Amino acid sequence: MRAARLIKMVLLLQSRPAMTAAELAGELEVSERTVTRDAQALSEAGVPVYADRGRNGGYRLVGGYRTRLTGLARGEAEALFLSGVPGALRDMGLDDAASAARLKVSAALLPSLRDASDSAVRRFHLDAPGWFHEPAVPELLPAVAGAVWADRLLYVRYGKGEADAESSPEFALSPYGLVLKAGVWYLCACSRGEFRVYRVERFRAARVSEEMFVRDESFDLPGFWEEQAERFARSLLRTEAVLRLTPEGVRLLPHHLDRAAVGEALQAAGEPDGQGRLTLTVPVESEEVAYAQLLPLGPEVEVLAPPSLRLRFARAATAMSALYG
């Protein structure tokens, strides 16, 4: 434990011109007294740590001292590629590895480039979760992430509720990758030769095996996820609506319905009528959902079919006309 702290102290001093005892204590999560003892230990071991006394004093390395302890470990290098998603790293239990990796990279950079990481943090931030809800971190996420990193078989019980989990048998997964979508974690895994997507929060038990699986190197996680996401979105579109839209309605429609489905409907549509209105048939999830999605378009859309959906819009128009006179 102390050896790791001493190495981190050297890397911190190597990456900056000087640091106060308070700054080092904060970074190392120890007391200033411990910082003093650690600095003395490093000096006795031959590391030229110099202490500047006085109000503006601190610690620095003398004579351009450089340590060779800057090689990235495999886990640190992998975590570094995710360092733009600090919340995701924390959820998977990789924040310490990412912090160590960033520190090693900073220590290895030329002095003129050492503010690069700070500059990037000030300018870019990824906020993955969606609005209006506080995402819960799945309890078993660190275990699942550990299996993904180590290419180890994962034995799980899966279900929407506790009753489902108790009745479902334990089965094995080859965990290929994790996806964070709008604050929700998904596991892309192979079971019995078939790749599937599992919602991590629905794992009721997860046991990481010592047995490793042989990863199919041709598996493309981004491509697989894109294909599955598109397939899932299409599976929700179970009915159709026939619409007549103004040019403004055509412009707005992709913002309210599935964009890909609207694009295909526009390609299949005929020519606009004499008033510039376009008639097209669009797949929708249900009449209930279509009503909620299309109502904000107001007079820019006219529902022609199905008749029951058209009747709902007619009633809404009558009610609004009476309300506003």
Side-chain angles (χ1 to χ4, degrees), residues 32 37 95 113 119 150 169-170 212 273 323:
E32 292 186 32
R37 288 199 298 265
D95 47 346
L113 298 176
S119 175
E170 184 180 67
M212 300 181 67
D273 61 18
L323 183 65

Side-chain angles (χ1 to χ4, degrees), residues 40-61:
Q40 183 177 351
L42 287 171
S43 181
E44 292 172 353
V47 179
V49 178
Y50 181 77
D52 292 316
R53 307 296 179 183
R55 183 178 180 181
N56 297 319
Y59 294 90
R60 59 186 175 86
L61 293 176

Side-chain angles (χ1 to χ4, degrees), residues 150-325:
D151 288 346
R152 296 190 182 277
L153 287 176
L154 189 66
Y155 288 89
V156 301
R157 294 184 185 276
Y158 189 76
K160 293 183 179 180
E162 295 297 335
D164 292 338
E166 292 175 0
S167 61
S168 63
E170 184 180 67
F171 60 97
L173 293 175
S174 299
Y176 271 71
L178 283 163
V179 175
L180 178 61
K181 170 70 171 179
V184 180
W185 286 95
Y186 297 89
L187 175 68
C188 300
C190 183
S191 176
R192 298 177 181 177
E194 181 182 358
F195 284 96
R196 297 183 61 183
V197 176
Y198 300 87
R199 193 159 173 158
V200 176
E201 66 184 21
R202 292 180 181 170
F203 286 129
R204 302 307 170 195
R207 177 171 57 89
V208 182
S209 171
E210 292 298 319
E211 182 183 355
M212 300 181 67
F213 68 91
V214 179
R215 178 177 287 267
D216 181 355
E217 296 300 332
S218 66
F219 178 76
D220 174 23
L221 179 60
F224 173 75
W225 174 258
E226 183 178 359
E227 178 184 334
Q228 292 296 308
E230 182 178 353
R231 183 181 300 174
F232 174 74
R234 289 301 182 90
S235 70
L236 297 177
L237 307 179
R238 301 185 180 94
T239 187
E240 292 182 338
V242 182
L243 312 175
R244 184 155 52 209
L245 301 116
T246 65
E248 179 66 7
V250 171
R251 186 185 71 82
L252 294 174
L253 192 62
H255 300 288
H256 295 265
L257 299 183
D258 182 82
R259 187 177 294 272
V262 171
E264 293 180 2
L266 288 172
Q267 290 181 353
E271 296 296 321
D273 61 18
Q275 296 178 304
R277 297 181 303 173
L278 187 67
T279 299
L280 67 160
T281 302
V282 186
V284 293
E285 183 173 342
S286 66
E287 287 192 19
E288 186 74 28
V289 173
Y291 176 76
Q293 291 174 328
L294 295 172
L295 191 61
L297 272 65
E300 309 302 335
V301 60
E302 178 187 0
V303 176
L304 302 179
S308 55
L309 182 58
R310 179 179 174 85
L311 180 60
R312 294 185 71 167
F313 274 85
R315 289 173 175 170
T318 300
M320 292 183 69
S321 177
L323 183 65
Y324 290 102

Side-chain angles (χ1 to χ4, degrees), residues 70-81 96-102 104:
T70 53
L72 290 177
R74 179 176 180 83
E76 294 168 346
E78 291 170 332
L80 185 62
F81 287 102
D96 287 342
S99 176
R102 288 193 295 267
K104 288 183 177 181

